Every structure is written in structure tokens, then in C-alpha cells.
């Protein structure tokens, strides 16, 4: 990602985009246990880049 788009993405953002497209991952065991569940959301430009990468690897 960093070579093509000049920014890096986190595993969290990749997991969010995969979940959006129905790719189920394993349960997250590192949850904080807080009920508010606040997580940063993936920005639209990074989401588009992740989707392009997933399409390149024929995952979506």
C-alpha cells in the first residue's frame, strides 16, 4: 500500500473493509472489554485503496 499510495493502513482498517464485503475473520481476542467499543473508522480514500488491493488479490 505504501509504495503505490504513499500512505500506510492499519490491520484494523483492512479488517473493517473485509467485514464490509462479507469476508469473515476470526474473533478479536484483544478487545478492551469496554462496552462503548469506540474504534477509529477507515477514511474513504484508504477504504478505496484497500478495496483495490483486495480486488488485485482476487479476494473480492
Amino acid at each position: 500500500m505504501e509504495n503505490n499510495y504513499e500512505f500506510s493502513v492499519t490491520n484494523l482498517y483492512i479488517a473493517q473493509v473485509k467485514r464490509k464485503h462479507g469476508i469473515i475473520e476470526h474473533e478479536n481476542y484483544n478487545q478492551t472489554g469496554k462496552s462503548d467499543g469506540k474504534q477509529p473508522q477507515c477514511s474513504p480514500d484508504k477504504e478505496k485503496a484497500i478495496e483495490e488491493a483486495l480486488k488485485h488479490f482476487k479476494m473480492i
Side-chain angles (χ1 to χ4, degrees), residues 11-28 31 39-41 47 50 54 60:
N11 289 335
L12 172 66
Y13 293 161
I14 295 169
Q16 287 174 351
V17 174
K18 288 171 89 175
R19 194 175 314 120
K20 177 182 171 185
H21 289 281
I23 301 172
I24 305 300
E25 300 238 333
H26 58 82
E27 184 179 345
N28 183 2
Q31 294 177 349
Q39 291 182 345
Q41 295 299 310
E47 183 176 338
I50 294 168
L54 292 174
I60 58 172

Side-chain angles (χ1 to χ4, degrees), residues 5 17-18 21 23 47-60:
Y5 297 100
V17 174
K18 288 171 89 175
H21 289 281
I23 301 172
E47 183 176 338
K48 182 180 178 201
I50 294 168
E51 287 174 344
E52 288 177 10
L54 292 174
K55 286 177 185 176
H56 173 77
F57 291 108
K58 297 178 175 52
M59 296 180 73
I60 58 172

